[in-house]
Amino acid sequence: MRSMPTDAHVGAKFVVDRIVGMIQGVMRDAAREGELDDDAFIGIGLGSPGPLDRETGTVLETPNLGWRNFPLRDLIGKSVGLPAELDNDANAATLGECWQGAARGVSEVLGVTLGTGIGGGLVINGEVYHGASDVAGEIGHMTIDSTGRRCACGNYGCLEAYASGPAIAARAVEGLEAEAASLLPDMVDGDLDRITAAHVSEAIIAGDEYAADVMRETARFLGTGVANLVNILNPEMIVVSGGVTRAGDHLFGPLKAEVRKRAFKVAADACRIVPSELGDTAGVIGAAATFHLARLGPI
Ligand SMILES: [Zn+2]
């Protein structure tokens, strides 16, 4: 896999040019090495933050990238000269896990991606469920406390406002400001603004009890949201991905316990909660699957 930073602040055109350049680079290198000629490339699968409109290939709004009504699919497809298909990045990641990752052979799957935000993807009976207008699966903005913390979306008490990477860091800092004992301040030379969720995971591995408490609390918030989804959807498997999963049992232990406590037993018993197998590559593998499903049929 090849990757480059998005550098969204320099504008959408720059990001598109960069993606097109990378696709053309892959095609050129494959041709030079004699592996594949141009005819071997049949199309492009794209995964993007949403919400988006799959029919027109337009990204409607991305708070983190600042795009609005942006015709991503056609800009890239026309520049490269190949047909392209677009889906939400979390849907693509879930599809990737179903095709080649932790959920191979499982037909009812919920993907949960913990990062800057919280994304979700839903595969029902082997197919991505998109809903009436392609917004299905936005689990990060499920309300878990009606008068709770303010979320970037403008609502109060969204799951994302408690268990995303930045939310974990913010809750950790609040406790430190209330003078909790921890290794965390020394890890950032006393500059608490620099604390990230990755520092919390590192501190746990170093034996920090306070950081373990922050992660247990994160798992309880996450478990509250996941228990709702277990009752509503009765999934066979939930695949959790993102850097926070490095905390291992410190996250998964209390997460599973919270789900067992809150969800109907028969639904919780049927649901395996597992870490991602594909990690960062789930989205690109799933985007290829998205193209295949749209243009060529079942994989
Ligand atoms: Zn929200």
Side-chain angles (χ1 to χ4, degrees):
M1 186 177 78
R2 300 183 192 189
S3 66
M4 284 180 107
T6 310
D7 290 343
H9 61 279
V10 288
K13 185 177 181 315
F14 176 86
V15 176
V16 168
D17 288 348
R18 195 169 245 196
I19 295 169
V20 168
M22 286 178 74
I23 294 170
Q24 289 169 333
V26 168
M27 293 169 71
R28 232 181 0 255
D29 292 352
R32 191 181 304 136
E33 287 157 19
E35 289 173 7
L36 297 166
D37 53 37
D38 273 0
D39 291 348
F41 294 93
I42 56 170
I44 302 164
L46 297 165
S48 167
L52 48 78
D53 181 336
R54 287 181 306 136
E55 197 166 319
T56 60
T58 307
V59 179
L60 302 178
E61 194 180 340
T62 55
N64 292 328
L65 296 176
W67 298 351
R68 260 177 195 280
N69 297 321
F70 188 64
L72 181 67
R73 180 193 68 196
D74 289 351
L75 283 174
I76 291 179
K78 283 184 183 132
S79 299
V80 178
L82 285 172
E85 291 291 342
L86 173 70
D87 203 342
N88 177 277
D89 53 357
N91 289 349
T94 307
L95 197 53
E97 294 288 347
C98 288
W99 184 26
Q100 295 194 8
R104 280 187 306 274
V106 184
S107 67
E108 321 292 331
V109 182
L110 173 68
V112 178
T113 308
L114 304 173
T116 309
I118 295 183
L122 192 51
V123 169
I124 296 177
N125 203 12
E127 286 185 19
V128 175
Y129 178 76
H130 291 98
S133 56
D134 293 340
V135 186
E138 287 290 352
I139 64 171
H141 302 283
M142 165 178 27
T143 304
I144 59 165
D145 180 349
S146 63
T147 56
R149 301 171 82 96
R150 184 80 191 252
C151 179
C153 75
N155 194 11
Y156 290 88
C158 293
L159 178 60
E160 183 168 307
Y162 294 84
S164 68
I168 293 167
R171 287 190 297 100
V173 169
E174 285 166 14
L176 296 170
E177 284 169 348
E179 306 198 339
S182 170
L183 303 170
L184 283 164
D186 283 348
M187 292 168 72
V188 291
D189 299 325
D191 182 359
L192 300 188
D193 289 344
R194 282 172 40 209
I195 288 177
T196 64
H199 290 118
V200 176
S201 294
E202 275 172 46
I204 291 170
I205 292 162
D208 187 300
E209 266 306 310
Y210 171 69
D213 279 346
V214 170
M215 194 55 72
R216 263 192 294 276
E217 196 186 31
T218 302
R220 281 199 294 272
F221 289 129
L222 197 57
T224 304
V226 167
N228 290 332
L229 295 163
V230 165
N231 277 346
I232 295 168
L233 302 166
N234 191 195
E236 191 178 345
M237 181 178 278
I238 295 177
V239 183
V240 186
S241 60
V244 182
T245 57
R246 278 198 298 268
D249 279 347
H250 291 277
L251 176 72
F252 283 91
L255 168 60
K256 290 175 186 174
E258 193 70 22
V259 171
R260 274 196 302 275
K261 199 168 89 185
R262 290 177 181 270
F264 280 116
K265 185 174 186 306
V266 66
D269 285 350
C271 181
R272 280 175 289 161
I273 300 176
V274 301
S276 152
E277 275 182 20
L278 299 178
D280 291 344
T281 59
V284 268
I285 289 172
T290 295
F291 180 86
H292 198 288
L293 286 171
R295 299 289 180 123
L296 307 168
I299 296 164

